[in-house]
Amino acid sequence: MKLLFKLLKYNINIWQIIGFVIANLLGGIIVLTGLRAYRDIDSLLSVENGLISGGYISISKPISTFTLVGNMMGIQPVFTTEEIKELEQHPSVDRVAAFTAANFQIRGGFKLGDLNISTDLFMESVPDDFLDVDFDDSDIWRADVKGDFIPVVIPRKYLNIYNYGYAATKGLPQLGEGLTSSFPITMVLKGNGVSRTYSSKIVGFTDRLNTILVPDGFLKEANLFFTGEQGGAPSRLIIATDSNGDEAELLEFIDSKNYAVEGDIDNLRLQSFVHGVLYVVIGVGVLISFLAFFLLMVSILLLIEKNREKFINLHSLGFTHSEMAIPYISLVVVADILVWVVAATVVHIAYPAVFAFASVISPDFELSSPFVVWVAMLLFALLFIILHRYTIRRELRRIVTPVSRV
Amino acid sequence: MVKSILFENVLPKVFIGSPPEGGPSDVWGCNLLFEKGCSVLIESASGRGKSSFCSFVYGLRNDYVGNICLMNDAGEMLPHTSEVSCELRRRGIAMMFQELRLFPELTAVENVMLKNSITSLFDENDVRGMLCELGLEARLDVPCAILSFGQLQRVAFVRMLAQPADFYLLDEPVSHLDEENSIKMGRMLRERQCKDGAGVIVTSIGRRLAYDFDTVLRL
């Protein structure tokens, strides 16, 4: 085989090979970076307390004139068990929970200097695992109807509205989160002929849920205590989306059901957009890689054509097309393996530095394993080798097949 | 591997409707059987299909009508497939081409060793010895690009011998060689024929290989 290599090395254009290596290296790095970034950006967007508070959507039945008429007739726009089940079974949905609303009267108040503020309030609850609040003391998020304290979580935007929309114009002091949490609040819960007074405190702020929240167990117990009934069917639901699901498809599904959406819909759109951008980036990388692949293939085909007479003569000496293909197949195997191994190594080493911004945005964020890069490298290298090998052998077989001269 | 070569009414397509000048042929349009052990000289003037004859037998071309059957030891016909062709060219039929088909980038020894790499018949010293026997001791490691045609014919002859064969097919092997080299080549070929029990088919345009042929055919 040494002599065959020596014979066929003539006419190899080293610049064409270098061109392939550079172009395919570029394409390979883009593809492998894109593939790894796809997973990392996905998890960055879904990380709790991260850039975006994950894929959660609150939905309700739409409010219309008919709803109002229905309300007057005692018909509430609620979700049926079948509708909830249908949502749970959607492939892009991780889990679904109902908002529990307080069905009794609530009056809350607090003192701010000489100012006594008192108002009717509403409160709702969701299961604890849908909350985006980390309590310093996990025992604080507990309450008992027979007790005297109710912890409350309010949307962070309520505080902002007070600070920037109300206090600033009324000459009232602006409040930080820490100070707000120390305000004593008094709550009076009434219903079923019973009235109880509780002390209360804001124990956290939520960016995800646009309502005043109390512990789920407490509210269910309170509904029973102050109304004598369990709550009815839910009118609002909260959906945790599956990070591997198709957000766009979920939004379409919700649209098709005419449910009203609130909450993190922008986050979902952002996720869809980022996914779209990554698809394009990976697509461009794949395109560059395949252009490079064709560059090498065309170079080899030209080389075979230039050496056409040599192959015919070698075949006339008894060399099979498989034996004659060995030198060029060896060349492309080395080039393909070299390119993809170098591309994967570059991505392996450089990627954490490039993605360092993620830990600034979200300190809890951790890079995904580089496993996907090496698996993709292996698959691409194998695919390129198989296609190159097939093309070279097919071309040589074509060249040496005897052709009638007539 | 090849016991005999059967020609049945074979005629190059180019001769259909316009037969070559110079009278009837002993080969074209006739039924012939070449068997192992025979030695045949096929003589003719230019343009009567000597190289076509060799190419048809060797499987390089198929632009003919009629049948050419290569029969194995069991009397079965060998199929015309690429795999069989390659096997034939390694073990069945050895050919010295009129146009030689040497590689100018390789030296005389390398050209022979390239063929030997798929037959493993000789070691390099054997090859050098045979080339020296034909007067090429000063040209062994010289690229073929700078050898004369007569020298190249000798290299091609040794390369043909670098495989075991049932038939040796030589297309005008001594057209550019002197009598002395022709005698040496004839002797080497005879030794090989005796050793392998092979058949020998040689074409000639006038200058004959120094060989005691059983049969002389006019093409």
Side-chain angles (χ1 to χ4, degrees), chain A residues 203-280:
Chain A
V203 297
F205 296 89
T206 172
D207 292 316
R208 180 183 299 158
L209 297 155
N210 192 19
T211 188
I212 298 169
L213 291 160
V214 294
D216 201 37
F218 167 78
L219 193 53
K220 286 190 165 91
E221 197 188 348
N223 270 337
L224 193 62
F225 186 79
F226 290 107
T227 66
E229 295 170 3
Q230 296 276 7
S235 57
R236 287 171 81 202
L237 298 175
I238 179 163
I239 298 169
T241 59
D242 189 330
S243 59
N244 297 318
D246 184 341
E247 298 85 358
E249 197 199 331
L250 177 60
L251 291 177
E252 267 178 36
F253 173 76
I254 290 171
D255 261 359
S256 73
K257 293 287 175 185
N258 265 336
Y259 300 148
V261 179
E262 57 185 87
D264 284 340
I265 188 152
D266 287 343
N267 299 349
L268 286 169
R269 289 199 169 120
L270 179 60
Q271 274 185 320
S272 293
F273 174 72
V274 172
H275 282 175
V277 170
L278 278 173
Y279 282 136
V280 171

Side-chain angles (χ1 to χ4, degrees), chain A residues 1 3-4 6-7 10 307 309-321 323 397 400 402-406, chain B residues 13-14 58-63 82-83 85-86 89-90 97 101-103 105-106 110 113-115 117-118 159 163:
Chain A
M1 281 299 140
L3 285 170
L4 195 61
K6 183 180 176 184
L7 180 65
Y10 294 96
N307 287 329
E309 201 178 323
K310 276 183 195 166
F311 287 115
I312 291 172
N313 289 343
L314 283 168
H315 188 56
S316 71
L317 293 179
F319 283 88
T320 63
H321 71 280
E323 287 167 336
R397 184 184 275 275
V400 300
V403 181
S404 173
R405 289 187 183 177
V406 175
Chain B
K13 285 183 179 174
V14 72
Y58 200 59
L60 295 178
R61 285 168 49 193
N62 53 15
D63 50 322
S82 177
E83 289 71 24
S85 291
C86 287
R89 292 167 195 179
R90 291 171 187 232
F97 304 94
R101 299 197 179 205
L102 293 166
F103 299 101
E105 302 92 337
L106 302 182
E110 286 172 342
M113 290 306 291
L114 182 65
K115 170 81 186 194
S117 69
I118 53 172
R159 185 179 67 179
Q163 74 167 88

Side-chain angles (χ1 to χ4, degrees), chain A residues 332-354:
Chain A
V332 295
V333 165
V334 169
D336 285 335
I337 290 177
L338 176 81
V339 162
W340 285 102
V341 168
V342 171
T345 308
V346 167
V347 173
H348 187 102
I349 294 169
Y351 185 85
V354 174

Side-chain angles (χ1 to χ4, degrees), chain A residues 73-228:
Chain A
M73 293 167 68
I75 303 167
Q76 298 295 327
V78 293
F79 287 96
T80 63
T81 316
E82 288 73 30
E83 285 170 333
I84 295 172
K85 197 173 275 178
E86 192 181 14
L87 274 166
E88 281 173 338
Q89 284 169 352
H90 191 278
S92 298
V93 169
D94 183 28
R95 56 198 201 281
V96 178
F99 279 87
T100 304
N103 295 329
F104 46 84
Q105 197 186 345
I106 307 158
R107 190 145 187 97
F110 64 92
K111 274 189 173 182
L112 192 63
D114 295 335
L115 193 67
N116 268 318
I117 297 174
S118 175
T119 181
D120 280 335
L121 283 179
F122 60 94
M123 56 174 65
E124 288 181 291
S125 70
V126 292
D128 289 355
D129 55 340
F130 283 81
L131 272 181
D132 58 339
V133 183
D134 274 336
F135 299 108
D136 295 336
D137 172 9
S138 59
D139 284 341
I140 199 147
W141 191 241
R142 275 183 200 163
D144 187 345
V145 175
K146 301 279 169 55
D148 55 5
F149 176 74
I150 306 172
V152 173
V153 165
I154 64 165
R156 188 166 275 113
K157 66 178 81 160
Y158 285 16
L159 184 62
N160 291 340
I161 289 169
Y162 167 78
N163 278 334
Y164 305 114
Y166 186 75
T169 54
K170 299 287 180 190
L172 292 168
Q174 291 184 319
L175 306 171
E177 285 182 11
L179 191 60
T180 312
S181 301
S182 63
F183 276 164
I185 300 169
T186 305
M187 296 249 196
V188 179
L189 275 51
K190 269 188 202 169
N192 207 16
V194 186
S195 172
R196 283 185 73 94
T197 303
Y198 298 86
S199 65
S200 183
K201 208 163 73 166
I202 295 167
V203 297
F205 296 89
T206 172
D207 292 316
R208 180 183 299 158
L209 297 155
N210 192 19
T211 188
I212 298 169
L213 291 160
V214 294
D216 201 37
F218 167 78
L219 193 53
K220 286 190 165 91
E221 197 188 348
N223 270 337
L224 193 62
F225 186 79
F226 290 107
T227 66

